[in-house]
Amino acid sequence: MIPHGLERHGLEPRGQVRRNLAPALLYEESLARKVGTLVHMGALATLTGPHTGRSPKDRYIVRDDSTEKTVDWGPVNVALSPTHFDALRRDVIGYLNSRDLFVQDARAGADPTHGIAVRVISESPWHALFAQNMFLRLEDDGFGKDALAGFVPDFTVLHAPGLTAVPARHGTRSEVAIVVNFTAREVLIAGTHYAGEIKKSIFSVLNQVLPDRDVFPMHCSANVGASGDVALFFGLSGTGKTTLSADPTRGLIGDDEHGWGAEGVFNFEGGCYAKAIRLSHETEPDIYRATQMFGTILENVVLDERARTVDFEDASITENTRASYPIHYIANAVPSGRGGHPKHVVFLTADAFGVLPPVARLTPAQAMYHFLSGYTARVAGTERGVTEPAATFSACFGAPFLPRPAGVYAEMLGKRLREHRAQVWMVNTGWTGGAYGTGTRLKLAHTRAMVHAALDGRLSAGKFAADPVFGVDVPAEVPEVPREVLTPRATWKDGAAYDAAAAKVAKMFKDNFAKFEKQVSAEVKGAGPK
């Protein structure tokens, strides 16, 4: 008899099948297979090379009758034919049948109505632990003791990192393949050990499914104050989304992916996947503490071979070192993963050109404009050939995970801002006094002070003046922040140099937004830089 209902997936495994093992047992399996290393204080260190990050150009959606008219096909959402999917699936099934398997059953979405049941089937024990960390644990997160007994997945991830795709046979670009099939309700992952592909593939699923249920899926973190006031934090990697939402004075609902429905917001996940490079107890005590705990997975960190301690400063493997841990490892996490309708929405950007104000108030039209823009900037030296700051625009702060046209998500945001009168703020966590290489990074203490003043209402009570280039309202003062910091031009030694840089960035915004002009109203179109 095939164990655990795996016959529904076409599997007939010849090896052992282990389902929903406890973390200690998954540790033992990882150590025995030499795919993990025990770290000082109890975490598990793993390596994912040669792929130490997502492979966005190897992400595919099966193009068929269920997706033809709803998916925004193009360079982000690349089509794969059902024939090629079937060929890859046969090879994945054959590969998994020849190995020991680890099955993790879980849930994505803390909302009892709109969440989905997720099954991850992998050859790798530490990836099963990752799934256990990142998704909601059925017996532990309020879904009932019998939730696993009659478990039937809504979506299944068939995870075969050791299998390489063959472009000529599978229709892929390379040996890596992350393929979502909405008709089969399956995800195939091959050719990469980077664990983030598991969680992001299910995020993409929810981004396609939930709009039909009038639930707005969001790539954001969320927290809640003592009075029940919920705040959302949108931002691309490196902008401070996880850092600023993990605030000891507020409850953490979640750090990456949420839905906004009729009852409020809810976390998609049961864990956190924090960037760990240059992590320290002084700057991010809660996250640092989580990295010292049993059950945490540390990806691609550098260890002292004798002491098995972690050097978080060392980026010799990758800048994209990661820590995966259950959200309850954060002391002030909200157990339910749910909150009311947001009172504040914060857009985070790390502007390496040093021209955006450090904090600004946005109108609903400006909010939709900047949501569609999804701006941040890479700094020189982070990628080959980048010798000066480079603008990055990622629609809705999560373009790689959005199957539908960006305008669909922007309209959902605009509708909710109007209905619930949430105030939107733009916070620049990047540079001041000049671009990267000349200016300095805005102090985290100042950024925290700005965010606190925005969320507790002190900013709204003060005076504002419109930024002459970007048109957003900038506060005249913020408690605990020097006044000169609030006006970017005043922090530059050369005002003319600032004007030139600001005009350059403004043009980048306009050029990027051209592709959205037919998806938005005239008010939103005119809400960008002057």
Side-chain angles (χ1 to χ4, degrees):
M1 181 178 178
I2 299 172
H4 310 307
L6 294 188
E7 69 277 359
R8 74 169 57 249
H9 311 294
L11 285 163
E12 298 179 358
R14 295 184 291 277
Q16 293 185 332
V17 179
R18 297 168 175 85
R19 180 187 180 217
N20 300 322
L21 293 185
L25 295 176
L26 291 170
Y27 263 52
E28 290 178 0
E29 295 286 352
S30 299
L31 296 173
R33 287 167 168 76
K34 298 183 179 180
V35 294
T37 301
L38 190 62
V39 179
H40 172 70
M41 297 298 292
L44 183 72
T46 63
L47 297 173
T48 69
H51 302 286
T52 57
R54 290 186 305 103
S55 300
K57 294 182 180 180
D58 297 304
R59 170 184 171 272
Y60 305 89
I61 298 175
V62 174
R63 190 167 191 164
D64 58 18
D65 290 344
S66 71
T67 56
E68 178 65 45
K69 295 182 180 180
T70 58
V71 170
D72 185 22
W73 301 108
V76 173
N77 295 307
V78 180
L80 193 75
S81 72
T83 300
H84 281 130
F85 174 84
D86 290 343
L88 179 61
R89 190 184 189 281
R90 282 193 297 271
D91 289 348
V92 168
I93 292 296
Y95 178 87
L96 291 177
N97 276 337
S98 67
R99 279 154 174 79
D100 292 342
L101 298 181
F102 298 87
V103 179
Q104 189 65 42
D105 293 329
R107 183 178 175 87
D111 183 277
T113 302
H114 299 300
I116 63 173
V118 176
R119 168 169 281 180
V120 178
I121 303 172
S122 179
E123 62 178 305
S124 166
W126 78 260
H127 285 92
L129 178 60
F130 177 87
Q132 188 175 138
N133 281 352
M134 299 313 303
F135 296 121
L136 292 156
R137 293 155 291 278
L138 292 173
E139 292 185 339
D140 297 335
D141 288 315
F143 298 106
K145 293 183 178 180
D146 299 326
L148 288 174
F151 183 84
V152 177
D154 295 313
F155 253 85
T156 300
V157 179
L158 297 173
H159 183 251
L163 173 70
T164 55
V166 180
R169 173 174 167 77
H170 302 131
T172 58
R173 169 183 164 271
S174 73
E175 77 283 356
V176 176
I178 304 99
V179 186
V180 181
N181 187 323
F182 285 97
T183 299
R185 306 181 77 82
E186 286 183 339
V187 177
L188 307 181
I189 299 177
T192 174
H193 287 80
Y194 182 67
E197 302 288 12
I198 295 174
K199 84 182 208 87
K200 289 303 185 186
S201 65
I202 295 300
F203 182 38
S204 296
V205 167
L206 292 168
N207 282 331
Q208 173 73 355
V209 171
L210 291 183
D212 287 338
R213 306 179 188 178
D214 196 30
V215 175
F216 174 32
M218 306 173 293
H219 185 212
C220 71
S221 57
N223 64 23
V224 59
S227 63
D229 57 302
V230 172
L232 305 180
F233 296 80
F234 289 86
L236 301 176
S237 180
T239 58
K241 181 160 54 74
T242 298
T243 299
L244 292 170
S245 60
D247 185 330
T249 68
R250 298 174 63 85
L252 179 66
I253 299 172
D255 86 326
D256 197 41
E257 301 163 3
H258 293 80
W260 187 350
E263 304 300 321
V265 302
F266 61 94
N267 192 1
F268 288 168
E269 302 181 304
C272 302
Y273 194 41
K275 291 195 75 170
I277 193 67
R278 290 176 286 278
L279 181 68
S280 73
H281 185 270
E282 291 70 30
T283 59
E284 298 174 272
D286 289 331
I287 298 173
Y288 183 87
R289 192 179 305 114
T291 68
Q292 310 298 298
M293 298 173 71
F294 180 86
T296 293
I297 301 168
L298 298 176
E299 284 185 4
N300 301 312
V301 298
V302 177
L303 301 178
D304 180 289
E305 289 299 323
R306 294 186 64 185
R308 297 291 175 86
T309 54
V310 181
D311 184 353
F312 287 113
E313 297 290 325
D314 194 329
S316 59
I317 297 176
T318 178
E319 280 273 339
N320 190 38
T321 56
R322 292 277 178 170
S324 163
Y325 49 88
I327 194 170
H328 62 258
Y329 283 14
I330 301 296
N332 61 334
V334 176
S336 69
R338 286 179 277 172
H341 295 290
K343 183 177 180 180
H344 295 277
V345 177
V346 180
F347 293 164
L348 300 170
T349 177
D351 175 32
F353 293 92
V355 297
L356 287 183
V359 61
R361 182 178 63 185
L362 307 186
T363 66
Q366 288 172 332
M368 290 180 66
Y369 182 98
H370 284 279
F371 183 66
L372 282 166
S373 297
Y375 168 73
T376 193
R378 300 188 304 273
V379 299
T382 58
E383 293 186 14
R384 183 179 300 173
V386 179
T387 58
E388 61 180 21
T392 296
F393 293 93
S394 184
C396 310
F397 298 98
F401 322 117
L402 306 181
R404 296 173 183 261
V408 170
Y409 306 101
E411 282 298 326
M412 297 189 85
L413 172 67
K415 175 185 175 183
R416 280 154 179 76
L417 294 179
R418 292 188 295 270
E419 287 179 350
H420 304 290
R421 299 182 180 181
Q423 178 60 61
V424 182
W425 305 90
M426 183 169 65
V427 173
N428 175 18
T429 62
W431 274 256
T432 184
Y436 172 83
T438 302
T440 57
R441 190 86 188 247
L442 283 154
K443 293 181 178 179
L444 180 58
H446 290 166
T447 300
R448 288 193 192 278
M450 295 174 203
V451 170
H452 287 160
L455 301 191
D456 67 19
R458 286 176 293 165
L459 279 194
S460 295
K463 296 181 179 179
F464 291 79
D467 184 278
V469 178
F470 298 98
V472 294
D473 286 342
V474 180
E477 60 181 351
V478 177
E480 302 175 37
V481 179
R483 283 196 175 191
E484 61 271 16
V485 172
L486 301 175
T487 306
R489 194 177 192 275
T491 66
W492 284 53
K493 293 180 180 179
D494 185 342
Y498 168 84
D499 293 339
K504 178 180 178 180
V505 173
K507 184 177 185 303
M508 291 177 183
F509 269 96
K510 294 174 184 177
D511 291 346
N512 173 73
F513 202 81
K515 60 179 175 284
F516 301 122
E517 291 183 349
K518 294 182 179 180
Q519 300 183 39
V520 299
S521 67
E523 182 184 16
V524 174
K525 179 181 175 181
K530 305 305 179 185

